[in-house]
Amino acid sequence: MKKKENNFAFIDGQNTYKGVQGLGWRIDWFRFRVYLREKYNVQAAYIFLGFMAQHNALYEHLQKAGFILKFKPVLPDGEGKPRGNVDADLVLHAMLEHETSDKAVLVSSDGDFYSLVAHWYSVSKLKIVLSPYIRTCSSLLKKTAKEKIVYLDTVRAKISQKKNTA
C-alpha cells in the first residue's frame, strides 16, 4: 500500500482573499480546506495574516475550518492604512517545516515567493502553486512553478461560497 503524502500548505491570506474578491466571489474556507486535503494531501494548512482584533470572528472561523493561523502585527503604512506584510514570515516558516513535510503547496499570486518556489521545485518538494487568477499572477511565479500551477478560478465551483452564505 502506498504511503499517503504528508503535504503542507502555506497560504498568503491577504493575497488569496483579495485575489478571489477581485473576481467577484469568495472562498468557502471549509470547502477549501477539504479540497486541499483531498486533492493535494495537505495535512497542515497554514494561513499567514496580519493580526487585527476586529477580525477575531474570521480567525475563529478559519480555525474551525482546520487552518493553522500565523499572525504578524499590523502597522500603518505611509498613508495610515493597515499593513501586515507576511511574505518573510511565510518563507521562514516554510523553510523551518521543510524536513517535516513531503511536499509543499503555496497559495498566492505574489512574485516575492519565486525564490521559495524555485527552491522547492529544484529539490522536488513543490506539489503545486495555487494562484487566485492567471491574469493577476506574477509572471515570475508562473515561470518558476512551470507546470505546477493551478488557478483558483478554475476550481471555483469546488471552493466558493454558495450564493446564500455570508
Side-chain angles (χ1 to χ4, degrees):
M1 184 200 277
K2 187 178 176 186
K3 175 187 165 269
K4 188 175 182 180
E5 284 183 324
N6 178 37
N7 300 329
F8 289 6
F10 302 92
I11 303 164
D12 180 344
Q14 183 75 352
N15 183 279
T16 302
Y17 174 79
K18 290 285 190 186
V20 299
Q21 182 186 47
L23 296 172
W25 60 282
R26 289 179 175 220
I27 290 177
D28 178 318
W29 293 101
F30 282 86
R31 294 176 78 199
F32 186 48
R33 184 64 186 95
V34 169
Y35 175 78
L36 290 171
R37 187 179 309 107
E38 292 179 357
K39 179 76 175 174
Y40 299 110
N41 293 309
V42 170
Q43 306 307 312
Y46 299 95
I47 296 184
F48 294 81
L49 301 159
F51 180 80
M52 297 176 73
Q54 66 264 38
H55 296 304
N56 277 337
L58 169 64
Y59 306 148
E60 289 176 18
H61 178 78
L62 292 169
Q63 288 176 315
K64 286 178 185 173
F67 292 95
I68 302 162
L69 280 55
K70 296 292 184 179
F71 293 112
K72 181 170 184 174
V74 172
L75 299 171
D77 66 10
E79 299 172 5
K81 296 177 186 171
R83 184 104 172 112
N85 190 341
V86 299
D87 296 2
D89 299 71
L90 188 152
V91 171
L92 176 63
H93 194 77
M95 293 310 294
L96 291 172
E97 294 290 344
H98 185 74
E99 297 301 321
T100 310
S101 67
D102 293 326
K103 296 209 181 249
V105 173
L106 173 69
V107 185
S108 183
S109 288
D110 192 335
D112 288 345
F113 297 117
Y114 86 94
S115 294
L116 177 65
V117 170
H119 172 71
W120 283 341
Y121 195 97
S122 72
V123 296
S124 300
K125 279 280 207 173
L126 179 64
K127 183 72 173 180
I128 199 82
V129 171
L130 298 172
S131 168
Y133 186 46
I134 191 169
R135 293 172 86 188
T136 56
C137 184
S138 161
S139 59
L140 278 173
L141 207 53
K142 291 176 194 175
K143 182 179 178 182
T144 308
K146 301 176 183 166
E147 78 287 355
K148 295 185 178 218
I149 192 163
V150 169
Y151 301 97
L152 294 179
D153 60 311
T154 65
V155 295
R156 177 179 176 176
K158 295 178 183 178
I159 65 169
S160 67
Q161 288 184 354
K162 302 295 182 201
K163 294 273 188 218
N164 60 354
T165 57

